[in-house]
Amino acid sequence: MQLGLSVSDSDVSSFTPLVVLELADDTKAEAITWLLNRIRDKQQNGGAELLVNQLLFPAQDDQKPNPNVFVVGSTLQRLLNGAEDVGLFKEFQDGTMRGFTYANRESFKDFNGDGEGFLSDAECQYIIKHELDTLRAKNEEHVPGYPKLKLYPGKSVVRRLQSKGVLIQYFPLHNKEDLKRLSFSWYKKFKLSLQPLDDIRHYFGEGLALYFGFLEYFTFALVPMALIGIPYYLFDWEDYDKYVLFAVFNLVWSTVFLEVWKRCSATLAYGWGTLSRKKAFEEPRAGFHGALGFNPVTGREEPVYPSSKRQLRIYLVSVPFVLLCLYLSFYVMMVYFDMEFWAINIYNENPDIATSILLFVPSIIYAVVIEIMNLLYRFAAEFLTDWENHRLESSFQNHLVLKVLVFNFVNCFASLFYIAFVMQDMVLLRQSLATLLITSQILNQVMEAFLPYWLQRRRNKKVHKRMRRLMGDKELPLLGQVQLETEMNTYLGTFDDYLEQFLLFGYVSLFSCVYPLAAVLVVLNNITEVYSDAFKMCHVFKRPFSEPAMNIGVWQLAFETMSIIAVVTNCALIGLSPQVKAYFPESDTQLILIVVAIEHVLLAFKFILAFVIPDVPKHIQVNLAKLEFDSLEALKKRKILEATET
Amino acid sequence: MQLGLSVSDSDVSSFTPLVVLELADDTKAEAITWLLNRIRDKQQNGGAELLVNQLLFPAQDDQKPNPNVFVVGSTLQRLLNGAEDVGLFKEFQDGTMRGFTYANRESFKDFNGDGEGFLSDAECQYIIKHELDTLRAKNEEHVPGYPKLKLYPGKSVVRRLQSKGVLIQYFPLHNKEDLKRLSFSWYKKFKLSLQPLDDIRHYFGEGLALYFGFLEYFTFALVPMALIGIPYYLFDWEDYDKYVLFAVFNLVWSTVFLEVWKRCSATLAYGWGTLSRKKAFEEPRAGFHGALGFNPVTGREEPVYPSSKRQLRIYLVSVPFVLLCLYLSFYVMMVYFDMEFWAINIYNENPDIATSILLFVPSIIYAVVIEIMNLLYRFAAEFLTDWENHRLESSFQNHLVLKVLVFNFVNCFASLFYIAFVMQDMVLLRQSLATLLITSQILNQVMEAFLPYWLQRRRNKKVHKRMRRLMGDKELPLLGQVQLETEMNTYLGTFDDYLEQFLLFGYVSLFSCVYPLAAVLVVLNNITEVYSDAFKMCHVFKRPFSEPAMNIGVWQLAFETMSIIAVVTNCALIGLSPQVKAYFPESDTQLILIVVAIEHVLLAFKFILAFVIPDVPKHIQVNLAKLEFDSLEALKKRKILEATET
């Protein structure tokens, strides 16, 4: 709670500012007054009981600053109550993680005095976000001054303002001191140590920390494969037959990898107190719209959109659109193969250095086109899923992930499958895989890190210059910080980061047996990825609200599906290898039957393994059972007490 | 609660007897006094606060009756409190199912006056069982009079007495009037209506009612298959090629069947209030033993058995034993094939009626041997699993089910798979399937219903005669009923019933395409099964304690595994059919590849289907969400109230 700027800014705001609210600069005064009153009002009266102050930027010669920027803070007492509302888990005296209650606050570890420093910044900001999000309309029929901004009892005020563009954005402020410390331990020193996951979680929340945990785990898991891959690559490079052993290794690896991750993830989430945390009741998305009706669950008035209409939109528009895109992707693939043959023909006619370089050109062009198509499709998918008008954010996310995954999978891997199983040309497969992988990694790093970094630098310089021009030597760190961060890009969540890892996992688990260097490339990519992602989180993007997460969610399923496909693919690759074929000189039939039989056994084994290995390590299971037992016992005792009292 | 015998027995017991406790006839008097005191003692003092009376049977000339038979009952108030303890769900005023609490009792439907008739017999007996089971030792070091029967604080008294043979049995009493009504509506009238599942649940509890619900559902689901099967059988009997269509039907059927069942089961369980009921904390099994230690969850003293020792027993003894049994089963199969060839040879040498009958003899003998092996193995598996010393009943059951299922599956189906895919002899497959199915059905009906019925009749007659000889015209219905029911067989749970249905499901879903009458046979079998099972529950066995169940548990998984195997098998059968082979005259390779590809697509589709179809119907999901929302709101209100009070 000790923000580095609270002392020198005592003239600007009398409390520690945690969250910035930016309203449109033409917002009507009565709406602002109403909103601020609702935010400041007591909880009993349905307010959020938070502290809020306006920030006035000095006028500038070239452009008028937005006058409607506010900072929100809170009293300690309110934050502690809020922690109970959102169901925060904190470390108890006995080392277990328990749901925080204000009544038992003294029994929690690290709770000293009035509780100063008990909640981390990110937690405070999360609580404030929750309180703002659940600030509900009472009897107002519309937002004051905006007759068209209809309200109904129970509607989240902030979401309505946001969906209509009155509230431009709200975001948590960075804490410069903490950020400095975090970025030093994270990426500034050259070190062989692991990432400071606990610090990341402390500053950015569990969702992001789990992503970095997964990134780290994935990279480490690839190291054995990379180590095996290098000698393979060096000594058997031209011996295409010898990939059987490597395929078997891939098979086992891709299965064990995910099973072990589930346990690691559970361990992390338990330590962070999100494993047994109950999901809050989900609010409708900000963009959800429909005729006013009654929610069958809460009985409250809220927009209702018939699910049959949504189904129609999904099946009559979205599905055909996705299929069309897939067709397009296949068409582009065929064009690529035409280019490939054309290049090979030129090379065969006149084999010299220039034409041998030409051999790689089609693959590189294709890789770039794939990335562009993925990017375009991503926007289209987001637009379509939004248009499907899902009521809940989780349902929106699931539909978006499904759309994007299917297309990305086909777009990235179709050509490889075609080369491997239709053309059965392992040389071309290797070359194609290498080009795809390297090109897409380079593109990704540029798009993801360097480009935003460069843009941000330019912007920073401009803002700094402007501020200096205005104030001379006087420093107003809060005003400067807010103005800087307001203009930073918004981090859109871990979606794209996981997607990239998903595709890399695909390249490695599906086809790395024919190109053993793939694992090495992915390891190298991920090491720089850690640094560039860390840097972009700390300096390129606005600080995101922390997001409690108990696992990597739908991505676990996506990776598991990929690992099943990997089993099938690797078995098929083994069946195709000349080495194995040599054992069945007479009949292909027998070979195929045996490969299919082995594949079935492996798949069955995989399912049994997933079933037998507990997803949560034993000692955490015991701790969770203990918590449950304790709460049951407490309930029983209370009942007996109540019974004897009456 | 109105037991038919409460009036005329006012001289025997002053309350409605619900449960019978039978102690060994040489039990020491001080142990009995101690036990009765503990049962009668107030809850505050750690007693069960139940009513208990001794039943004294008149001495008989030929044998001394057991003097240590007790009946247990309870006051209404105690039962209502107990209903809250066990977490019973009852119908609320608004038609939803809610956890019963004594404080809110008036808001529950059917709660009138003091609550007489609110709880069903079965519920009362379940509550009494729970209270007896959770009657715990306080500071006693051993059972009085038995220095070797060690106790420790928190040990369940009843389980200790039971595991050492002092408590022979305890069981709920039948309610003659209800039973009469139930058996009339269930199986005594000839009707086309469905089974009275709600009444069955009312009398026997949810576990058994779900079994009968499943039996009914399975039988109905087989009717379309039977209807298609009859013309197939009649007109295409000799045309072995035409089974492709039927195999495709099987494929779809076996997948849809289980998905729909999940929803039916959820609907039933919701209506019975077991769907959202929380599992109680599981006690160690009665037979579990080990050195005294501390439970890591509860912190209480209790026997601890290192899981490494258990693992050793499982992997060094149980697994080899199961493998040995499987080997034996294969050996027997080979002997059967020898017999089969021998019979065929005789028939070929001298084809007349006698030798054509001889053709069926090996199959019949093999079917009988299979049944005997299954039976013997069942005992061995139970012994072994008991010896593995599992702490929890659920873990015991899982290991037992796994052992039994693997063996039964191999034992019953290995010969069919061998004939289908190694010998590829569809005529023999059909003949073998028919013989196996018919023989095992006949054996089952005899073993399951007629034999116990006949034994029970003989016993009943003896007891009746004895009672009449003793009392002349004086009738003591309670004494007579208790004596009769004490000697009835104990119903060992739904295990064997589900196992039988599992094997029938296997015969139908795996191979019925080559023998379309299989479905017809199973339908016929299941119709008689309903009647014989109903009869045996009502008149052959002791009444079992009701057992709350929210689904068919591990059997759902077993059936789903079978349906996956069914997809693979049916695809393979289709690939083997001459009809399909005709399309690929030149190359087997292409045919196999196409069949394998289709199989993979089908399996993927099956998983997607299982994922997409919600397990719980929408309207029940809404109801459950509503309940959860209500309880969250209530909690919030209480917190705000508490906050304003302080």
Side-chain angles (χ1 to χ4, degrees):
Chain A
M1 281 266 307
Q2 199 60 27
L3 274 174
L5 35 87
S6 56
V7 180
S8 65
D9 296 326
S10 54
D11 49 332
V12 180
S13 84
S14 54
F15 53 86
T16 319
L18 287 168
V19 171
V20 173
L21 275 179
E22 184 183 5
L23 299 178
D25 53 7
D26 57 352
T27 310
K28 300 212 169 117
E30 52 199 300
I32 296 180
T33 321
W34 169 76
L35 179 64
L36 296 188
N37 280 339
R38 288 299 317 273
I39 293 178
R40 289 186 183 127
D41 205 0
K42 286 253 161 81
Q43 268 190 296
Q44 285 125 291
N45 308 332
E49 214 170 330
L50 298 173
L51 309 171
V52 57
N53 257 350
Q54 193 157 16
L55 280 191
L56 285 175
F57 296 99
Q60 293 166 341
D61 39 14
D62 49 346
Q63 60 187 106
K64 242 180 75 183
N66 183 353
N68 297 326
V69 177
F70 301 88
V71 283
V72 184
S74 169
T75 62
L76 191 56
Q77 166 76 32
R78 177 76 189 92
L79 285 174
L80 291 175
N81 282 331
E84 187 173 346
D85 287 351
V86 299
L88 214 63
F89 268 60
K90 297 290 281 181
E91 197 174 353
F92 206 64
Q93 278 170 340
D94 60 358
T96 60
M97 303 299 294
R98 303 201 178 204
F100 177 77
T101 54
Y102 188 71
N104 293 337
R105 60 189 180 282
E106 306 282 354
S107 311
F108 282 83
K109 213 177 146 183
D110 302 325
F111 192 98
N112 305 313
D114 57 354
E116 179 80 33
F118 178 66
L119 297 172
S120 75
D121 258 20
E123 281 165 348
C124 295
Q125 289 164 337
Y126 176 74
I127 292 165
I128 289 180
K129 174 176 194 288
H130 175 261
E131 300 298 342
L132 286 177
D133 280 347
T134 56
L135 182 66
R136 295 179 191 290
K138 293 191 290 191
N139 300 318
E140 301 94 339
E141 285 191 352
H142 57 83
V143 177
Y146 293 87
K148 276 188 185 161
L149 276 180
K150 292 263 178 289
L151 289 173
Y152 49 87
K155 172 69 188 175
S156 160
V157 167
V158 165
R159 298 213 170 194
R160 170 48 41 99
L161 291 175
Q162 204 175 13
S163 69
K164 297 294 180 182
V166 176
L167 175 62
I168 295 175
Q169 58 175 346
Y170 63 121
F171 60 90
L173 274 172
H174 270 297
N175 178 324
K176 281 182 181 168
E177 268 179 40
D178 286 359
L179 188 62
K180 215 178 202 173
R181 225 175 303 130
L182 174 67
S183 57
F184 183 75
S185 69
W186 199 359
Y187 65 89
K188 279 210 177 139
K189 63 171 179 201
F190 179 79
K191 37 101 212 219
L192 284 167
S193 65
L194 300 175
Q195 294 177 79
L197 288 184
D198 284 329
D199 297 341
I200 300 172
R201 174 237 166 186
H202 221 257
Y203 195 83
F204 287 113
E206 291 83 15
L208 210 74
L210 263 182
Y211 163 69
F212 281 101
F214 179 75
L215 184 58
E216 184 173 295
Y217 170 79
F218 181 34
T219 312
F220 273 101
L222 280 173
V223 168
M225 199 189 266
L227 288 182
I228 301 176
I230 293 174
Y232 240 85
Y233 178 80
L234 292 180
F235 304 119
D236 287 323
W237 170 239
E238 290 304 322
D239 191 355
Y240 304 123
D241 310 0
K242 295 247 171 100
Y243 65 71
V244 173
L245 257 181
F246 208 77
V248 173
F249 177 82
N250 270 3
L251 258 171
V252 178
W253 177 84
S254 65
T255 302
V256 174
F257 167 68
L258 287 167
E259 284 306 312
V260 177
W261 165 249
K262 262 193 266 179
R263 293 167 68 89
C264 289
S265 150
T267 310
L268 285 175
Y270 175 75
W272 297 338
T274 47
L275 191 60
S276 44
R277 188 168 163 183
K278 281 198 191 94
K279 272 210 157 173
F281 224 78
E282 229 182 321
E283 294 282 317
R285 306 183 59 222
F288 177 66
H289 55 86
L292 263 195
F294 287 94
N295 182 323
V297 172
T298 60
R300 286 182 189 152
E301 218 177 359
E302 82 171 35
V304 171
Y305 188 77
S307 106
S308 58
K309 262 195 192 172
R310 186 176 307 124
Q311 301 290 337
L312 275 183
R313 286 185 173 188
I314 293 177
Y315 290 110
L316 293 187
V317 179
S318 296
V319 172
F321 175 79
V322 173
L323 292 178
L324 189 78
C325 289
L326 293 181
Y327 174 77
L328 216 91
S329 161
F330 277 115
Y331 188 82
V332 170
M333 181 180 91
M334 285 307 166
V335 172
Y336 156 62
F337 284 126
D338 283 348
M339 275 165 50
E340 191 73 53
F341 289 129
W342 168 79
I344 291 175
N345 278 341
I346 289 182
Y347 175 76
N348 284 345
E349 275 169 24
N350 183 16
D352 61 16
I353 300 174
T355 51
S356 78
I357 290 174
L358 188 70
L359 272 181
F360 285 90
V361 172
S363 295
I364 293 175
I365 294 178
Y366 184 52
V368 174
V369 170
I370 282 180
E371 287 294 318
I372 294 172
M373 281 169 72
N374 279 348
L375 210 71
L376 291 179
Y377 179 82
R378 179 87 167 70
F379 286 109
E382 213 153 316
F383 174 80
L384 265 183
T385 317
D386 194 53
W387 176 72
E388 282 163 19
N389 197 15
H390 293 274
R391 190 175 157 269
L392 297 179
E393 184 65 28
S394 59
S395 147
F396 173 86
Q397 285 294 337
N398 286 344
H399 277 85
L400 181 62
V401 168
L402 186 67
K403 275 197 198 71
V404 173
L405 279 195
V406 168
F407 181 79
N408 273 261
F409 182 81
V410 170
N411 203 22
C412 293
F413 298 119
S415 66
L416 299 177
F417 276 105
Y418 190 85
I419 297 172
F421 300 118
V422 180
M423 297 161 70
Q424 303 197 1
D425 181 345
M426 295 301 149
V427 186
L428 183 57
L429 177 62
R430 169 174 306 168
Q431 181 206 313
S432 195
L433 177 63
T435 326
L436 268 180
L437 197 55
I438 295 172
T439 317
S440 78
Q441 283 184 2
I442 293 173
L443 282 180
N444 256 318
Q445 295 283 357
V446 171
M447 297 284 291
E448 242 188 89
F450 298 114
L451 200 69
Y453 172 62
W454 180 73
L455 288 175
Q456 186 56 36
R457 253 183 97 102
R458 271 190 35 182
R459 211 177 294 141
N460 278 9
K461 271 191 192 152
K462 240 169 61 184
V463 172
H464 271 296
K465 218 189 278 171
R466 219 194 302 158
M467 295 301 279
R468 206 166 304 137
R469 196 157 12 117
L470 277 170
M471 332 224 174
D473 286 339
K474 253 201 299 170
E475 266 199 41
L476 274 177
L478 178 60
L479 281 187
Q481 188 191 0
V482 170
Q483 187 142 25
L484 213 65
E485 292 187 13
T486 311
E487 290 183 15
M488 277 175 154
N489 287 328
T490 306
Y491 179 64
L492 294 170
T494 46
F495 190 102
D496 289 300
D497 296 315
Y498 277 120
L499 183 61
E500 191 191 338
Q501 295 303 316
F502 173 76
L503 294 176
L504 292 179
F505 178 68
Y507 286 120
V508 168
S509 61
L510 295 177
F511 294 110
S512 72
C513 60
V514 295
Y515 182 57
L517 268 196
V520 181
L521 286 175
V522 173
V523 167
L524 291 179
N525 175 75
N526 277 4
I527 290 175
T528 59
E529 181 91 19
V530 167
Y531 284 89
S532 68
D533 279 357
F535 179 78
K536 95 182 172 198
M537 288 315 305
C538 291
H539 293 288
V540 176
F541 288 118
K542 281 192 195 84
R543 183 176 188 174
F545 278 111
S546 86
E547 187 190 343
M550 58 183 286
N551 50 43
I552 60 172
V554 64
W555 292 101
Q556 181 77 34
L557 194 70
F559 278 85
E560 267 163 23
T561 310
M562 183 68 96
S563 88
I564 290 172
I565 300 175
V567 170
V568 179
T569 310
N570 278 295
C571 280
L573 283 174
I574 292 173
L576 281 179
S577 83
Q579 206 183 6
V580 169
K581 269 187 179 161
Y583 283 101
F584 301 90
E586 298 117 55
S587 90
D588 266 359
T589 315
Q590 216 183 341
L591 167 66
I592 296 174
L593 284 179
I594 286 178
V595 168
V596 169
I598 290 175
E599 185 228 329
H600 278 76
V601 171
L602 283 173
L603 283 179
F605 187 69
K606 201 174 153 64
F607 278 100
I608 293 171
L609 211 69
F611 196 76
V612 168
I613 298 177
D615 290 356
V616 177
K618 183 90 188 198
H619 70 278
I620 294 180
Q621 275 178 32
V622 168
N623 279 342
L624 292 180
K626 203 160 150 184
L627 272 191
E628 205 191 331
F629 176 79
D630 284 357
S631 74
L632 276 181
E633 286 295 295
L635 201 74
K636 238 188 252 170
K637 259 185 211 153
R638 213 177 61 191
K639 265 185 201 160
I640 289 177
L641 262 177
E642 281 173 4
T644 47
E645 272 172 17
T646 53
Chain B
M1 283 266 308
Q2 198 60 28
L3 273 175
L5 35 84
S6 56
V7 182
S8 64
D9 296 327
S10 55
D11 49 332
V12 180
S13 83
S14 53
F15 53 87
T16 318
L18 286 167
V19 171
V20 175
L21 276 179
E22 185 182 4
L23 299 178
D25 55 5
D26 57 351
T27 312
K28 299 214 171 118
E30 51 199 302
I32 295 180
T33 321
W34 168 76
L35 178 64
L36 296 189
N37 280 339
R38 288 301 316 273
I39 293 179
R40 287 187 185 125
D41 206 358
K42 286 250 162 81
Q43 270 190 292
Q44 285 123 294
N45 308 331
E49 214 170 330
L50 298 173
L51 308 172
V52 57
N53 257 349
Q54 192 157 19
L55 280 192
L56 286 175
F57 296 99
Q60 292 163 340
D61 38 17
D62 49 346
Q63 58 186 106
K64 244 180 75 184
N66 183 355
N68 297 328
V69 177
F70 301 88
V71 284
V72 183
S74 168
T75 62
L76 193 54
Q77 165 76 33
R78 177 78 190 89
L79 285 174
L80 291 175
N81 282 330
E84 188 173 345
D85 288 349
V86 299
L88 214 61
F89 268 62
K90 298 290 280 183
E91 196 174 352
F92 207 63
Q93 277 170 341
D94 61 358
T96 59
M97 302 299 295
R98 302 198 177 205
F100 177 77
T101 55
Y102 188 71
N104 293 336
R105 61 189 180 284
E106 307 282 354
S107 311
F108 282 84
K109 214 177 146 185
D110 302 325
F111 193 98
N112 305 313
D114 57 354
E116 178 81 31
F118 177 66
L119 298 171
S120 75
D121 259 20
E123 281 165 348
C124 294
Q125 289 165 337
Y126 176 73
I127 292 165
I128 290 181
K129 175 177 194 288
H130 175 261
E131 300 298 341
L132 287 176
D133 280 347
T134 55
L135 182 66
R136 295 179 190 290
K138 293 189 292 190
N139 300 319
E140 301 95 338
E141 286 193 349
H142 57 83
V143 177
Y146 292 87
K148 278 188 184 161
L149 276 181
K150 294 262 179 288
L151 288 174
Y152 48 87
K155 172 72 187 171
S156 161
V157 168
V158 164
R159 298 213 171 193
R160 171 49 40 100
L161 292 175
Q162 205 175 12
S163 70
K164 297 295 181 181
V166 176
L167 175 62
I168 296 175
Q169 58 176 347
Y170 64 121
F171 61 89
L173 273 172
H174 270 297
N175 178 325
K176 281 181 180 170
E177 268 178 40
D178 286 0
L179 188 62
K180 215 179 201 171
R181 226 176 302 130
L182 173 66
S183 57
F184 182 76
S185 69
W186 199 359
Y187 64 90
K188 278 209 177 143
K189 63 171 179 201
F190 179 79
K191 38 100 213 219
L192 285 166
S193 65
L194 302 174
Q195 293 178 80
L197 288 183
D198 284 329
D199 296 341
I200 299 172
R201 174 238 166 185
H202 221 256
Y203 195 83
F204 286 113
E206 290 82 15
L208 210 74
L210 263 183
Y211 164 68
F212 281 101
F214 179 75
L215 184 58
E216 185 173 294
Y217 170 79
F218 181 33
T219 312
F220 273 101
L222 280 172
V223 168
M225 198 189 266
L227 288 183
I228 301 176
I230 293 175
Y232 241 86
Y233 179 79
L234 292 179
F235 303 119
D236 287 322
W237 170 240
E238 291 303 324
D239 191 355
Y240 304 123
D241 309 0
K242 297 251 171 98
Y243 64 70
V244 173
L245 258 180
F246 208 76
V248 173
F249 177 83
N250 271 2
L251 259 171
V252 178
W253 178 84
S254 65
T255 302
V256 174
F257 167 67
L258 287 168
E259 284 305 313
V260 177
W261 165 249
K262 262 193 263 176
R263 293 167 68 89
C264 288
S265 150
T267 310
L268 285 175
Y270 176 75
W272 297 337
T274 47
L275 191 59
S276 44
R277 190 169 162 182
K278 281 198 190 97
K279 271 207 158 175
F281 225 77
E282 228 180 323
E283 294 281 319
R285 302 182 63 221
F288 178 66
H289 55 84
L292 263 194
F294 288 94
N295 182 324
V297 173
T298 60
R300 287 183 189 151
E301 217 177 0
E302 82 170 36
V304 172
Y305 188 77
S307 106
S308 58
K309 263 194 191 173
R310 186 176 307 124
Q311 300 289 339
L312 276 183
R313 287 186 173 187
I314 291 177
Y315 291 110
L316 293 187
V317 179
S318 295
V319 172
F321 175 79
V322 172
L323 291 178
L324 189 78
C325 288
L326 291 180
Y327 175 78
L328 216 90
S329 161
F330 278 114
Y331 189 82
V332 169
M333 181 181 91
M334 285 306 166
V335 172
Y336 155 64
F337 285 125
D338 285 348
M339 275 165 51
E340 191 74 52
F341 290 126
W342 169 78
I344 290 174
N345 280 339
I346 290 185
Y347 174 77
N348 285 345
E349 275 170 24
N350 183 13
D352 61 15
I353 300 172
T355 51
S356 77
I357 291 173
L358 188 68
L359 274 180
F360 284 91
V361 171
S363 295
I364 294 175
I365 294 177
Y366 183 52
V368 174
V369 170
I370 282 181
E371 288 294 318
I372 294 172
M373 282 168 70
N374 279 349
L375 209 71
L376 291 179
Y377 179 82
R378 178 88 167 69
F379 286 109
E382 212 153 317
F383 173 81
L384 265 184
T385 316
D386 194 53
W387 176 73
E388 282 163 19
N389 198 14
H390 294 275
R391 189 175 158 267
L392 298 179
E393 183 66 28
S394 59
S395 146
F396 173 86
Q397 285 294 339
N398 286 344
H399 277 85
L400 181 62
V401 168
L402 187 66
K403 277 198 196 71
V404 172
L405 278 195
V406 168
F407 181 78
N408 273 260
F409 181 82
V410 170
N411 204 20
C412 292
F413 299 118
S415 66
L416 298 177
F417 276 104
Y418 190 85
I419 296 172
F421 300 118
V422 181
M423 297 163 68
Q424 304 196 1
D425 180 345
M426 295 301 151
V427 186
L428 183 57
L429 178 61
R430 171 174 305 169
Q431 181 205 315
S432 197
L433 177 63
T435 326
L436 267 180
L437 196 56
I438 295 172
T439 317
S440 77
Q441 284 185 2
I442 293 173
L443 282 179
N444 256 318
Q445 294 283 356
V446 170
M447 297 284 292
E448 240 189 272
F450 299 114
L451 200 69
Y453 172 62
W454 179 71
L455 289 174
Q456 188 55 35
R457 251 183 98 103
R458 269 191 36 181
R459 213 178 291 140
N460 278 9
K461 272 191 192 154
K462 240 169 62 187
V463 173
H464 272 295
K465 219 190 277 173
R466 220 195 300 157
M467 295 300 282
R468 207 167 304 136
R469 194 151 20 109
L470 277 169
M471 332 223 174
D473 287 339
K474 253 202 300 170
E475 266 199 42
L476 274 176
L478 178 60
L479 282 187
Q481 189 193 357
V482 170
Q483 187 141 27
L484 213 65
E485 292 186 12
T486 311
E487 290 183 14
M488 276 173 152
N489 287 327
T490 306
Y491 179 65
L492 294 171
T494 47
F495 188 102
D496 289 299
D497 297 315
Y498 277 119
L499 183 61
E500 192 192 336
Q501 296 302 317
F502 173 76
L503 295 176
L504 291 179
F505 178 68
Y507 286 122
V508 167
S509 61
L510 295 177
F511 294 110
S512 71
C513 60
V514 295
Y515 182 57
L517 269 196
V520 181
L521 286 175
V522 174
V523 168
L524 290 178
N525 176 73
N526 276 5
I527 290 175
T528 58
E529 182 90 18
V530 167
Y531 284 90
S532 68
D533 278 357
F535 179 77
K536 96 182 172 199
M537 289 315 305
C538 291
H539 293 288
V540 176
F541 287 118
K542 281 192 196 87
R543 183 176 187 173
F545 278 111
S546 86
E547 187 188 342
M550 58 184 285
N551 50 42
I552 61 173
V554 65
W555 292 102
Q556 181 77 35
L557 194 70
F559 278 85
E560 268 163 22
T561 311
M562 182 68 96
S563 87
I564 290 172
I565 300 175
V567 170
V568 179
T569 310
N570 278 296
C571 280
L573 283 174
I574 291 172
L576 280 178
S577 82
Q579 206 183 4
V580 169
K581 269 187 178 161
Y583 283 100
F584 301 89
E586 298 117 54
S587 87
D588 266 0
T589 314
Q590 214 182 343
L591 167 66
I592 295 174
L593 284 179
I594 287 178
V595 168
V596 169
I598 290 175
E599 186 228 327
H600 278 75
V601 171
L602 283 174
L603 283 179
F605 187 70
K606 201 174 151 65
F607 279 101
I608 293 172
L609 211 68
F611 195 76
V612 169
I613 298 178
D615 290 356
V616 177
K618 182 90 189 199
H619 70 278
I620 294 181
Q621 276 179 30
V622 168
N623 279 341
L624 292 180
K626 204 161 152 182
L627 273 191
E628 206 191 332
F629 177 79
D630 284 355
S631 75
L632 276 180
E633 286 295 294
L635 201 73
K636 238 188 249 169
K637 260 184 209 154
R638 214 178 60 192
K639 265 187 199 156
I640 290 178
L641 261 177
E642 281 173 4
T644 47
E645 271 171 19
T646 53

